[in-house]
Every structure is written in structure tokens, then in C-alpha cells.
Amino acid sequence: MAGKKKKESKEKEAELKRQKQLEEEQRERARLVQELEEIESITARFKDNVETQTQQKQDWNKYVACSFLPDPKIERDVNTFLQLWEHEPFLGEKPSLDPLFAQVPDAELLLSQLEAEKALAIDTFNEKRQKIIQEQMERHSDIMMYKWNLTTQKILQHLDFFEREPNENFQLGAQKLGFAVGLWGNLTKNPRHKLIEFEQLRIAFTLPKPLALGSTAIRVIYNTNPNCVSSPSGDIKPIQYPFAKQGGEQVEEGSEGLVDDSIWPTTVSFHLPPHSNVHEESAQVMWWDQKETKWRKDGITDYELNMETGQVKFRTIHFAPVALVQSQYCEFPFSNWLLEPVDRDVAHMTITGKHSEIKIQIEAGQCRIVQPMNSFIKRVAGDAFSPSLLLKRLSHIGYNFCGPKSMSGHYKAEEQAIQAISQFAHSLRMRRSPSNKLISSAKLAFQIKDNDDPEREWCSLLVDVNYKHKQETITCAMLLQDNNITEDTKFKFRSTAYHVLSSMPQKYQDPSPLFVQTVAQVLQSTRVLSFS
């Protein structure tokens, strides 16, 4: 009898313990749900505040600018301006590059404004807006090329206005605001004249034999601006190149490596902007296939790059736009990153890639480059850009730190971490966790430290978007003093990443919504949480 009562007592005690555990789990589940709802509320409130702040800032900038250019935000105004600009007379009585060069500053300014607007659409994931602006930018470039064609046509029709070269051929070169333009006309048809060199522009190319014997003109446009014009079209009749060699014509020395030795090649050389960051192992010359709308490398051989002088030299059978290109992800994976607050709504983001390191100053709604600082980057060092536009500017000179737009794996965990980091970047230091590469793609780890307490040790935050709670999968995070995280690390206390960070001491309260959004955009654009 006593044994039976003892057994019933143990069963009752076990049942009470089970009920208590169940109640605790239900309360914890309710708390997690409440935390997620709170985050959604905070996110929605911040979004409304960001839109208000952004609009106020843009209205003020527009008022201060007093520009005759259209508002890049208003699609109708931009389209109307482009239509009027396309048909606006601009050529003078005398043939010259000056009338078009006079339009270049405003044309480049409008293009940069459209580019900035597109970058904003990228940062806010507005694909419809991106498409509209891209079409406007392409039309802008087509109009600019149309004007280049009209200018070239008038110059070629009035060659008597210009001095001749000592060899009696026509040659004209000029440059302005990132544009270098060279124009050469074959008047003598001398087969011994094989090299065309624009010394002032630092551009040169050889003449294939058919061009040396024909009534032809060659125009070279070298554009070092971030947005390049499209391929030639309009009133200028392009030469159908390559030229096939006739039977019995000798194969030119050095053309053995070409795709087709029966085609006349040309050798081209130009110089890169100073202090371009070139990755020799991935850099190569490619040509733009307008029909296929892609860069190609077939038909280009004997590529040489002099790192000391910046000269690029190659042979090609394609008269088409060419560029020196390199791997988009040559800095990946990142070896380190550090985000540290500087002031209330100012933080510095340092990213160390495989070859280079950059430091970005993040402010409310904009970013600036801090490092590296060479003579070329100094041209944009004082300027503020949206995150994706700043990264594009850097990639234009070889600093490739922009991450993939889409990917599987870490994305959900990364999204949760970005949401938390951006809210507390004004008060806490955060950096890469070496443990991040030791855990599954459903998890993500980074390290945190109180910015005002140098004695405090770094601790780690672990996010898991596939945490199994009973039969349910939930997202949770945990703070750990031990930075050695593995796949087997157990959760002792579960919360959201946002609420974990909110429990840490902070110098500043209530950061600017625009600053929070900008930090998030930098993390989204670089993907440092997933690729480090």
C-alpha cells in the first residue's frame, strides 16, 4: 500500500513538473512571438520616418541647387527633358568639338543624378523604379552618342578648317571631364602609315592594311566616367569589320594566336586612370557585343598590362567598345569586417578583402570613403553617396566589395542579424566571428563589444533561423561569452537578435531612422555577414 502511494506521489510530482515545463515553454513561445511583433512594429515605424526624412532632405537639396535640369524623381520631367535635348540645335557654323564639350558637364550631371536615383531604388529593392531609370539612362547615352555622331560628321565634311599632320592625314584629339576623343582621317592612303597615335590622349592603334588603303575615318572615344555611352549608331556609317584577307596575302607576324588568322587584326593601347586597383590574375580585356548584350573575350590576344605605367595593350579583330575587366568577386571571401560608432549617427565600417581594405563612413542617408585615399579616390572623397552607389564608384577603379544580389543559405539568418545590427550600430562595436565558417547556413555569428568600455571582452551573438522548438521551427538568438561557437553549441536562453542587443549598455538612444536604414543597406550591399 505504501509502495503504491509512493508511486502515485512520484507520478503526480512528474506530472506537475511536466505541466510547469509546458507552461514555461508556452510563456517563452508567447514572449518570442511578442518580440517578433515588436520588431515588425519598430521596422514599420522606422520606414515611415525614413520616407519623411528622405523627402525633406531631397526637397532641400533641390531648392539649394537651383538647376534647370529635371527632377530625377519625376519620370515625366526627365522624359520631356530628354526629348527636348535630343532635338536641340547645338552645332555652330564652324566644325568643332567645343559645342558638344560645352554640353558634357550638364549631361554628366544629369546622368549621375539618374545613377544616384537608381542606386536608391537598388538599396530599397524597388525593381520597377530601377527598370524605369535604366531605360532613361540608356536613352540619355543614345542621345549623347547621336550628338557625337553629328559632331563627327560635320568635322569630316569640313576638313579644310583644320591643320594637317606632317604626313598629310587628318588628326584631331581633345579631352574633357573624363572624355578623351580622337578623330583620324585617311587622306593619303599610304600603306606604310600603320600607327595612329594620339599622344595627348595616350591612345594608339595600328591600321589594318584595308584601312590604310581606304577612304576611311576612325573615331576613338575613351570614357573613364562611371557610366559609359552606348555603341555607335545614327548617321555615321560604321565599317563592317573584321576584314578578311584575300588569297595570297601574307599572314601578319604575331597574329597566329587569333581565332582566325585570315582576318586582319589591329593592335590597340590605352592607359588606365592613375591608382586603379588592378588584380592581375583576373584582369583581362573584353569587347562589348551589342547584339548579344554581353562582354566577350574571343578575338582578343596578346594582352599586356604594364602595372608601372598603367598601359593596356592588346590585339583584336573587333572594332567595338572594349574595356579592362576583372572578377566581380575578387575580394571574396572577406577576411574581416569591423563596425564601430564614431558619433550619434556616424559609424565607420572597415572591410578587409583578399587583396584590399576599405573604410566607409556611414551617416544618415549617405556614405563617404575614408580609406584607401589616393589621388584618384580623392576626386570623390568629399562626396556623399548612397551605399550601392559608393560601392559602384569603388568598383569602377578596381575595389570590388559589392556582394551578390541574391543567394541561398545564410540569407534568412543574415536578414535577422542586419535588422539588429543596424538598430544598435550607433552604440556598439561589432565585428566578424571566426566561428561563422564553422556553422551551418541556417546560423550566423558575429562578435559584439561595448564601445565605451575598453576593458570589456568581446562576446558573440548566435542567430539560428531553424531552431527546433517542439515540432515548430522558430528564429532565435543567444549571447555567448565563449567565442568558440560550433554547430553543437546549445541555446540556453532564446530571444531575438534585436532584443539581445537591446539588453547591452548604450551611450546613445533613439538613432536616426535614416542612419539605421543606411547601415542596413551597407550590410545588404556588401554581404559581409555571409561572406566572411
Side-chain angles (χ1 to χ4, degrees):
M1 193 70 174
K4 184 177 181 182
K5 286 184 177 181
K6 190 174 181 180
K7 183 179 179 182
E8 289 176 351
S9 176
K10 285 184 177 181
E11 289 176 351
K12 187 175 182 180
E13 185 180 340
E15 178 62 22
L16 289 172
K17 187 177 180 180
R18 190 183 68 80
Q19 288 290 341
K20 185 178 180 180
Q21 184 179 358
L22 184 61
E23 290 173 1
E24 287 178 355
E25 290 176 349
Q26 289 175 342
R27 282 195 297 270
E28 184 179 20
R29 174 58 182 159
R31 176 180 58 78
L32 287 170
V33 171
Q34 185 179 2
E35 287 181 353
L36 290 171
E37 291 175 350
E38 183 181 349
I39 291 174
E40 289 180 4
S41 175
I42 292 171
T43 303
R45 187 174 70 250
F46 264 67
K47 183 179 179 181
D48 293 339
N49 291 338
V50 163
E51 291 175 354
T52 301
Q53 274 189 282
T54 303
Q55 189 59 50
Q56 290 174 346
K57 186 174 182 179
Q58 290 170 345
D59 290 345
W60 172 251
N61 290 340
K62 182 181 177 182
Y63 174 76
V64 172
C66 292
S67 173
F68 74 93
L69 294 176
D71 186 340
K73 285 190 167 302
I74 304 176
E75 180 184 355
R76 181 181 58 188
D77 287 2
V78 174
N79 291 337
T80 301
F81 178 86
L82 292 176
Q83 184 176 5
L84 294 174
W85 181 48
E86 180 178 6
H87 300 289
E88 172 190 50
F90 70 98
L91 293 174
E93 292 183 4
K94 296 182 179 180
S96 172
L97 291 170
D98 293 341
L100 183 54
F101 272 159
Q103 293 196 354
V104 166
D106 288 329
E108 283 299 301
L109 178 58
L110 176 58
L111 196 58
S112 66
Q113 290 175 348
L114 290 171
E115 182 192 32
E117 197 64 27
K118 181 184 175 183
L120 181 61
I122 292 173
D123 289 332
T124 55
F125 306 102
N126 190 337
E127 293 185 3
K128 181 180 179 181
R129 184 74 179 132
Q130 290 177 46
K131 184 178 179 180
I132 291 172
I133 299 172
Q134 181 61 35
E135 290 174 351
Q136 291 174 335
M137 292 175 70
E138 290 175 359
R139 187 181 175 197
H140 177 288
S141 295
D142 287 342
I143 294 172
M144 195 67 190
M145 181 56 71
Y146 169 69
K147 289 176 178 285
W148 280 119
N149 287 344
L150 290 180
T151 301
T152 303
Q153 187 179 41
K154 183 156 188 174
I155 290 174
L156 293 178
Q157 289 172 342
H158 300 84
L159 294 182
D160 293 340
F161 279 85
F162 302 91
E163 294 183 3
R164 302 286 177 86
E165 287 184 284
N167 59 25
E168 293 299 314
N169 286 320
F170 166 73
Q171 185 166 324
L172 177 67
Q175 54 188 334
K176 185 171 185 177
L177 292 178
F179 280 101
V181 182
L183 190 60
W184 178 85
N186 189 4
L187 302 179
T188 61
K189 303 177 183 177
N190 185 346
R192 291 178 295 177
H193 191 70
K194 295 183 178 181
L195 178 66
I196 310 300
E197 190 171 12
F198 296 92
E199 293 184 8
Q200 181 185 2
L201 310 181
R202 305 178 78 188
I203 299 172
F205 57 89
T206 59
L207 275 178
K209 186 177 179 181
L211 291 184
L213 298 175
S215 299
T216 57
I218 297 176
R219 180 182 64 195
V220 178
I221 299 178
Y222 180 41
N223 187 357
T224 58
N225 292 308
N227 295 288
C228 296
V229 295
S230 58
S231 60
S233 60
D235 296 328
I236 300 296
K237 183 180 178 180
I239 296 172
Q240 296 303 313
Y241 193 85
F243 303 116
K245 295 179 181 179
Q246 302 299 318
E249 287 186 308
Q250 186 178 358
V251 175
E252 195 172 320
E253 183 181 354
S255 62
E256 294 82 2
L258 292 169
V259 175
D260 188 347
D261 288 342
S262 66
I263 292 176
W264 287 100
T266 181
T267 300
V268 181
S269 69
F270 63 89
H271 285 74
L272 297 173
H275 299 290
S276 294
N277 189 38
V278 180
H279 305 289
E280 290 187 79
E281 63 272 20
S282 68
Q284 58 183 314
V285 174
M286 301 183 78
W287 64 280
W288 178 251
D289 188 333
Q290 183 71 16
K291 185 176 180 180
E292 299 292 332
T293 63
K294 65 179 182 181
W295 290 99
R296 297 174 55 175
K297 61 182 180 180
D298 57 287
I300 293 180
T301 60
D302 300 339
Y303 157 67
E304 298 176 12
L305 172 62
N306 188 318
M307 293 297 291
E308 292 185 4
T309 64
Q311 186 190 55
V312 178
K313 189 176 182 181
F314 59 95
R315 295 166 69 86
T316 179
I317 60 173
H318 301 287
F319 266 32
V322 295
L324 182 70
V325 302
Q326 61 189 25
S327 171
Q328 184 176 359
Y329 305 121
C330 52
E331 296 290 351
F332 288 69
F334 301 132
S335 60
N336 202 5
W337 64 269
L338 171 66
L339 180 62
E340 47 190 347
V342 177
D343 208 336
R344 176 182 170 81
D345 284 330
V346 182
H348 281 170
M349 181 81 174
T350 304
I351 307 174
T352 307
K354 289 178 67 176
H355 305 280
S356 313
E357 181 176 274
I358 61 170
K359 179 183 281 189
I360 300 170
Q361 179 164 301
I362 306 173
E363 305 167 10
Q366 59 192 24
C367 298
R368 303 174 193 273
I369 184 67
V370 178
Q371 291 177 355
M373 191 55 63
N374 56 47
S375 60
F376 192 72
I377 293 181
K378 281 181 180 177
R379 292 180 3 189
V380 298
D383 298 334
F385 303 92
S386 67
S388 62
L389 186 53
L390 178 65
L391 292 171
K392 181 182 177 183
R393 286 285 189 271
L394 288 172
S395 68
H396 182 62
I397 55 169
Y399 293 91
N400 303 81
F401 284 82
C402 193
K405 298 300 180 185
S406 61
M407 55 171 277
S408 58
H410 273 289
Y411 180 72
K412 290 184 179 179
E414 181 187 54
E415 195 175 49
Q416 291 288 327
I418 288 175
Q419 197 174 51
I421 292 173
S422 59
Q423 294 283 352
F424 299 100
H426 64 293
S427 290
L428 301 174
R429 298 181 73 194
M430 288 165 264
R431 71 180 185 185
R432 167 186 175 266
S433 169
S435 301
N436 202 38
K437 61 183 180 181
L438 303 176
I439 54 181
S440 69
S441 61
K443 298 179 182 179
L444 192 146
F446 60 93
Q447 296 184 357
I448 319 158
K449 185 178 182 181
D450 181 1
N451 191 54
D452 295 320
D453 187 357
E455 302 299 324
R456 186 183 290 269
E457 296 293 328
W458 288 90
C459 57
S460 293
L461 189 142
L462 176 63
V463 180
D464 186 354
V465 295
N466 282 341
Y467 183 80
K468 297 296 182 182
H469 180 75
K470 294 296 182 181
Q471 300 300 318
E472 189 176 6
T473 299
I474 61 174
T475 297
C476 58
M478 177 179 63
L479 198 65
L480 301 101
Q481 298 303 320
D482 181 6
N483 292 318
N484 297 315
I485 300 171
T486 67
E487 187 64 26
D488 297 326
T489 298
K490 302 297 183 183
F491 276 75
K492 296 178 181 178
F493 175 78
R494 299 182 291 271
S495 185
T496 66
Y498 170 86
H499 288 88
V500 170
L501 295 185
S502 66
S503 65
M504 299 187 68
Q506 299 169 49
K507 180 177 179 179
Y508 300 110
Q509 299 294 327
D510 300 327
S512 159
L514 205 51
F515 173 74
V516 172
Q517 183 192 62
T518 309
V519 173
Q521 290 170 347
V522 170
L523 296 172
Q524 289 162 351
S525 297
T526 57
R527 311 301 294 270
V528 293
L529 294 171
S530 294
F531 291 96
S532 61

